Amino acid sequence: MKNTVLTFKNAKQENKKLTMLTAYDYSIAKLVDETGINSILVGDSLGMVMLGYEDTLSVTMEDMIHHTKAVARGSKNALIIADMPFMSYQTSVYDAVVNAGRLIKEGRAHAVKLEGGEEVCKQIKAIVDSSIPVMAHLGLTPQSINAFGGFKVQGKDMDAAKKIIDAAKAVEQAGAFAVTLECIPEKLAEIITNSISIPTIGIGAGSACDGQVLVYQDMLGMFSNFTPKFVKRYANIGDQMKHAFLSYQEDVQNGIFPGTEHNFSISDEIIQKLYGSGE
Ligand code: KIV
């Protein structure tokens, strides 16, 4: 079943949990899509988990388009949401619409995600008015780490909590079809989820959200630089990969790989002639 923004809308109304995972390339997108996960997020987290930056700030529009295209080729049914990278929408409403358009037109995403509340509502409205669905992102918005002073839980005091509730209402009003809530207390996420009509997708925001998202390398144990508290490890693929790489190395060094079953044959007659022609 093809997932669309209507799937998101209906899921909230029918109280069905939505599932989302990141993917950044063709093979992983295909695997995720085949499971029936509702949505694939081509997150700007790719800056960290795919490109090795220490944060998401250096990710460019070209990076996002390149990876979104690959994901789109691998996915049939998931709703593909592409992150708008840092400074691709903050600068002006015009930039926001042009860059959102590129992610849809060149990247073949179905929707875009951008970070922020009231300060980006003009951008959200203009992008939505251009017929591009927008997911908002509140709480710990990684593009603001320099302003936050690091990756820290948000919304813990009265003012901060109230600000996130107001921001959720504002992005809904501006036309966002859903909102990601990252790293906020679960009770705050519950209040937000109950006070807006669009689905909340949580990451480190507890189980009351209308859906959940995780970075696939985190949940598969493939990214060892750090593991946030909110991540559940569903497999240790990183260890399995290292084990396979070591076995391969040993096999090559010991002449075990490639074996006869991996080789291509040629007739003995031709080989004889080849030896003969070399003499
Ligand atoms: O970039 C990303 O992967 C994200 C998720 C953490 C929600 O924005």
Side-chain angles (χ1 to χ4, degrees), residues 198-266:
I198 56 173
T200 56
I201 307 297
I203 176 160
S207 61
C209 293
D210 298 303
Q212 297 294 323
V213 57
L214 282 177
V215 170
Y216 86 84
Q217 284 94 339
D218 287 341
M219 57 99 78
L220 294 184
M222 291 173 69
F223 184 72
S224 55
N225 295 15
F226 61 89
T227 307
K229 171 184 156 91
F230 55 76
V231 169
K232 178 169 174 183
R233 274 267 167 98
Y234 284 87
N236 277 314
I237 303 294
D239 285 348
Q240 285 185 39
M241 286 172 80
K242 271 202 229 162
H243 187 260
F245 297 154
L246 279 169
S247 302
Y248 162 74
Q249 187 185 37
E250 271 170 32
D251 280 1
V252 171
Q253 285 168 345
N254 297 323
I256 293 169
F257 176 81
T260 46
E261 70 276 31
H262 306 116
N263 296 339
F264 302 102
S265 62
I266 184 171

Side-chain angles (χ1 to χ4, degrees), residues 22 24 41 43-45 83 113 137 180 182 203 213 215:
T22 63
Y24 316 97
L41 173 66
D44 60 355
S45 51
D83 258 343
K113 175 164 83 55
H137 185 158
T180 297
E182 179 164 354
I203 176 160
V213 57
V215 170

Side-chain angles (χ1 to χ4, degrees), residues 117-118 121 124 165-175:
E118 286 87 346
C121 277
I124 294 176
I165 297 171
D166 290 345
K169 291 179 182 166
V171 295
E172 174 185 27
Q173 200 58 39

